[in-house]
Amino acid sequence: MAPRSRLDLRRLARDAAAAPGSRREARAPGGRPATGLMEAVRANLDALVALQAGGLTWDAVASGLTAQGFTTADGQPVTGRNLTGIISSVRRQAAARAARMAARAARLDRPEPARALTDPSTSAPRPSRLAPELSRDHPTLRSNHEARAPTNSDAPLSEAEIRRLQAEKHSHLFKKD
């Protein structure tokens, strides 16, 4: 029987990387080649707008970006029209993100402290209450052999009490030794 050859993973990685077409190109949504222009505009939007407000035209700013190696998805130089379109897109995305975050913060099913940070009309968070089935006086948690003094129904049970009561409730399901 011929000895099996051992696979050298380091050499395999080296050989595979040297093969033509071994690396996938980074792609933008829709399968377009990613050039990094959108990310550069998103990260430096305020500076680009300040340049334009300082007297430069969008065409001049676009030619400066092209000089630094940024191109459109099809490899063409960036024009002022391309740049203003990307800036508009970044602004729309930021506005949509802010609207989603505001809608999320206003949801009523969010925890109180998170809403209190964003909503100045809320003063102090309400004290939390247990669900009715977890209160001390609920019939499913009270065992027959247990005599309890009446307590405040809003007083929370400790974790250990809840665990013990639930174990008693489901004891008929446990395996008997």
Side-chain angles (χ1 to χ4, degrees):
M1 176 182 254
R4 292 179 61 180
S5 62
R6 296 187 49 91
L7 180 61
D8 183 1
L9 293 177
R10 288 183 187 173
R11 181 175 174 196
L12 176 64
R14 227 180 13 251
D15 292 343
S22 63
R23 298 277 179 200
R24 283 182 278 183
E25 293 180 23
R27 296 278 177 181
R32 296 183 314 269
T35 63
L37 180 60
M38 177 74 88
E39 264 321 299
V41 170
R42 187 176 288 123
N44 301 296
L45 180 62
D46 294 334
L48 293 173
V49 171
L51 286 173
Q52 193 268 339
L56 292 177
T57 64
W58 286 122
D59 287 325
V61 174
S63 65
L65 288 170
T66 300
Q68 291 189 23
F70 291 100
T71 62
T72 61
D74 57 354
Q76 299 297 315
V78 180
T79 65
R81 188 177 182 105
N82 296 134
L83 184 59
T84 55
I86 290 172
I87 289 173
S88 295
S89 179
V90 167
R91 285 179 174 161
R92 269 193 316 273
Q93 291 169 359
R97 186 177 305 112
R100 281 193 313 269
M101 294 305 288
R104 182 177 178 185
R107 283 181 28 195
L108 296 176
D109 61 340
R110 293 213 22 174
E112 288 294 328
R115 245 188 306 139
L117 293 175
T118 59
D119 187 8
S121 66
T122 30
S123 54
R126 295 182 318 209
S128 60
R129 293 179 39 193
L130 289 175
E133 60 271 9
L134 295 178
S135 69
R136 292 181 189 272
D137 296 331
H138 197 271
T140 60
L141 289 181
R142 185 177 290 192
S143 59
N144 293 337
H145 61 81
E146 192 175 319
R148 285 189 185 214
T151 60
N152 182 2
S153 65
D154 286 344
L157 293 171
S158 69
E159 276 188 57
E161 288 176 314
I162 293 172
R163 229 183 342 264
R164 182 181 50 76
L165 292 172
Q166 290 296 323
E168 289 174 7
K169 178 181 171 185
H170 298 317
S171 63
H172 67 283
L173 298 174
F174 299 144
K175 182 178 177 182
K176 306 276 188 213
D177 287 335

